[in-house]
Amino acid sequence: MHPRLLKTFLAVARNRNFTRAAEEVHLAQSSVSDQIQSLEAELGTALFIRSRSGLELTAAGEALRPYAEEILTIASEARTAVEAVSAAAAGTVTIGALETIASIKLPQWLPAFQRDHPDIDLRVKIAGSGDLLRKLETGEIDIAFCFDRGEVDERLAKRAISTEPLILITPPAQKPSSKTSDLAALASMNFVATEVGCVYRHLFDKAFQAAGTAAPKLAAEVGSIGTIARLVAAGTGSSLVPRFAVADALHRGEIGEMPWPGPMRTASLVMIWRRRRVQPPALKLVLAFASTGFASAKSADVRLRHAVSFPL
């Protein structure tokens, strides 16, 4: 069973659709179909059946899946071990991050890493938290930086690297009132939040759940923290956000800041990576540097005065 066929098999199993699987593995749909047929011919049994909801694994397909995952993992680890022993090029590390983390947090330590390790190529990909985990599982990225949403797949490792304050941001002219000191009363105010599925929305909903209070109705749902800050500045409503993500707008006086009265006043920023028998040396260096880099970085109010570019 060629690893290429197993990779395609797992993509189809995840997506339950040839078209979406083809997009994931960067092949034509016909090539994906041909590869699945080749694998089924080699094994002498069908691996998928069609249903109303899409492609479903047969019993044989379910039996193959964990072995396919293990074979691909071992192949990757074997390649890493050989490269390390043969002193091959230091390698490339692909970093995935939420947009705000990539634009504000990574520049606090990545330039120093690049100066210390010029032989390691760094790539940065921006995605939502759910997509970051998917990219980790498929090997599209080596490490993800996002906010903690709880337990992760046992195939992944996770480490908390900083604790970020959550704050209530308000239009600049709004003054503190009894509403802003009582979480239940806050539920009657207008709020702006990101869309369901985004980690920032998860933090917003969880903050009210932790206090046993229903989340308020939203004045608007938007796709980025930057847009939220501008809407709050314009008077659309208030919002719960990590402080570092709006530090520039606060510094310019475009929005106001008030302490969050709920029990959940911080969020953990974590890095997540795949467990391997042998970690690539370049990735080990990034993991170690990130741990110290985030810990030693100044407060989340640090403002970026110079643009920093990364190879994408």
Side-chain angles (χ1 to χ4, degrees):
M1 289 178 284
H2 197 284
R4 182 182 68 254
L5 301 183
L6 295 177
K7 182 179 179 181
T8 301
F9 162 74
L10 290 175
V12 176
R14 279 190 296 270
N15 291 280
R16 302 172 63 186
N17 177 283
F18 282 140
T19 301
R20 291 194 295 271
E23 293 173 354
E24 179 179 316
V25 296
H26 309 294
L27 292 173
Q29 182 177 335
S30 58
S31 297
V32 170
S33 179
D34 289 344
Q35 288 190 18
I36 295 301
Q37 290 179 12
S38 296
L39 188 57
E40 289 178 329
E42 180 181 348
L43 295 173
T45 185
L47 299 173
F48 295 95
I49 56 173
R50 294 189 179 275
S51 70
R52 291 183 177 179
S53 58
L55 294 171
E56 303 281 354
L57 285 169
T58 62
E62 289 286 4
L64 175 62
R65 175 150 59 177
Y67 290 100
E69 292 171 345
E70 185 69 10
I71 288 170
L72 291 180
T73 297
I74 291 174
S76 175
E77 292 173 354
R79 188 178 301 109
T80 297
V82 170
E83 289 175 352
V85 170
S86 61
T92 298
V93 177
T94 303
I95 296 170
L98 298 175
E99 182 177 7
T100 47
I101 293 173
S103 63
I104 298 173
K105 288 290 187 180
L106 296 189
Q108 294 178 10
W109 62 271
L110 271 188
F113 179 86
Q114 290 176 310
R115 287 193 298 270
D116 290 352
H117 304 283
D119 52 343
I120 296 178
D121 295 326
L122 296 177
R123 297 192 176 101
V124 178
K125 293 188 176 183
I126 309 301
S129 53
D131 200 27
L132 289 175
L133 293 179
R134 183 190 67 78
K135 290 179 183 297
L136 271 178
E137 292 172 355
T138 60
E140 294 177 60
I141 61 176
D142 300 302
I143 180 174
F145 292 93
C146 57
F147 283 102
D148 191 7
R149 297 188 64 166
E151 294 300 318
V152 296
D153 189 288
E154 62 181 9
R155 294 169 296 179
L156 302 176
K158 178 177 68 176
R159 181 184 302 162
I161 48 181
S162 70
T163 300
E164 302 298 331
L166 296 174
I167 61 169
L168 176 67
I169 58 172
T170 63
Q174 183 170 318
K175 303 298 182 183
S177 68
S178 59
K179 280 187 175 183
T180 59
S181 61
D182 178 62
L183 194 59
L186 280 179
S188 64
M189 294 172 55
N190 289 330
F191 272 83
V192 183
T194 51
E195 300 167 339
V196 173
C198 172
V199 68
Y200 296 114
R201 178 61 175 274
H202 172 75
L203 294 174
F204 175 78
D205 292 337
K206 186 178 178 181
F208 282 93
Q209 292 170 2
T213 303
K217 292 183 178 179
L218 300 179
E221 289 185 342
V222 296
S224 76
I225 296 294
T227 303
I228 285 178
R230 289 190 287 273
L231 287 173
V232 170
T236 304
S238 300
S239 189
L240 173 68
V241 296
R243 194 181 196 282
F244 81 85
V246 294
D248 281 353
L250 287 168
H251 181 82
R252 293 190 296 265
E254 296 170 354
I255 54 177
E257 170 188 1
M258 298 180 189
W260 180 252
M264 196 182 89
R265 300 186 181 185
T266 61
S268 293
L269 198 157
V270 298
M271 58 182 181
I272 305 173
W273 65 98
R274 283 178 295 156
R275 298 182 188 276
R276 302 183 188 181
R277 290 177 178 83
V278 180
Q279 286 290 358
L283 178 58
K284 290 175 67 175
L285 289 171
V286 171
L287 291 170
F289 205 96
S291 296
T292 57
F294 274 89
S296 61
K298 294 183 179 179
S299 71
D301 290 318
V302 172
R303 301 181 67 241
L304 300 178
R305 301 184 182 276
H306 303 282
V308 180
S309 61
F310 304 107
L312 297 178

